[in-house]
Amino acid sequence: MLDWSAVFLKDIKDIDVEFTGAGYATFSIAMASMRLMGDRLVEKLNAKTMVIGGSLLAALGLIIAIYSIWMPFVLFGFLLLGIGSANLVPLFFSEAGRIPTVPTSLSIPAITTMGYAGQLMGPAILGLIAHQFNLEVAFLFSATLMVLIAVLYFFRK
């Protein structure tokens, strides 16, 4: 969202450039708030529910942001995206540390490497998709990946 939310709001939603940071700000505040509540929520629910529910909520947030024409709904979509995606990475780190057949000294660096690769390549891949199609299609691609996370996590053992 850091790289593309302002472009999305300016070019797709046609809002004034002064307000284009609102999407990322909404996303960031929601994410930070949920990270603070993450451990308590995992205790009440469980990691599987958090990953599946969070991924689906994040996908729904992107879809709302893409298809809404009223700016408060667009920002609500960014809010849902932040809430849903906030605890995914911390939960993946926790899960990686508990893989019985892989030592923690290998699993944590592997997850970290994938995370860094995603941070570096993700914006470029979205830019490539946006260049070939448009930014809405790129965001739909991200929403699809979120749904894929939920489906794969649902069927994991």
Side-chain angles (χ1 to χ4, degrees):
M1 287 301 101
L2 174 61
D3 296 299
W4 290 108
S5 60
V7 176
F8 173 77
L9 291 175
K10 181 183 171 295
D11 292 350
I12 305 296
K13 297 302 177 180
D14 199 33
I15 71 164
D16 292 334
V17 72
E18 301 88 41
F19 300 109
T20 56
Y24 182 68
T26 303
F27 165 81
S28 296
I29 291 167
M31 181 175 267
S33 300
M34 284 306 293
R35 284 261 173 104
L36 294 173
M37 294 185 274
D39 289 338
R40 286 183 297 236
L41 286 171
V42 171
E43 286 176 14
K44 285 186 178 185
L45 305 169
N46 58 48
K48 189 171 186 174
T49 302
M50 289 288 291
V51 170
I52 293 169
S55 298
L56 293 175
L57 192 62
L60 177 64
L62 276 170
I63 290 167
I64 289 171
I66 291 165
Y67 291 110
S68 294
I69 57 172
W70 192 45
M71 188 49 61
F73 280 167
V74 174
L75 294 178
F76 179 69
F78 282 112
L79 179 87
L80 292 180
L81 175 61
I83 290 170
S85 62
N87 291 298
L88 296 179
V89 170
L91 286 169
F92 292 156
F93 273 101
S94 295
E95 293 285 324
R98 289 192 293 268
I99 299 172
T101 58
V102 180
T104 305
S105 61
L106 295 176
S107 63
I108 298 300
I111 291 290
T112 303
T113 301
M114 286 189 276
Y116 283 131
Q119 282 181 319
L120 294 172
M121 293 182 347
I125 291 169
L126 290 180
L128 177 67
I129 295 169
H131 181 73
Q132 294 298 315
F133 301 98
N134 61 44
L135 198 48
E136 290 167 312
V137 171
F139 277 18
L140 279 174
F141 174 74
S142 295
T144 302
L145 292 178
M146 286 294 188
V147 171
L148 182 63
I149 289 170
V151 169
L152 292 174
Y153 215 82
F154 179 79
F155 288 110
R156 83 174 189 87
K157 293 181 182 186

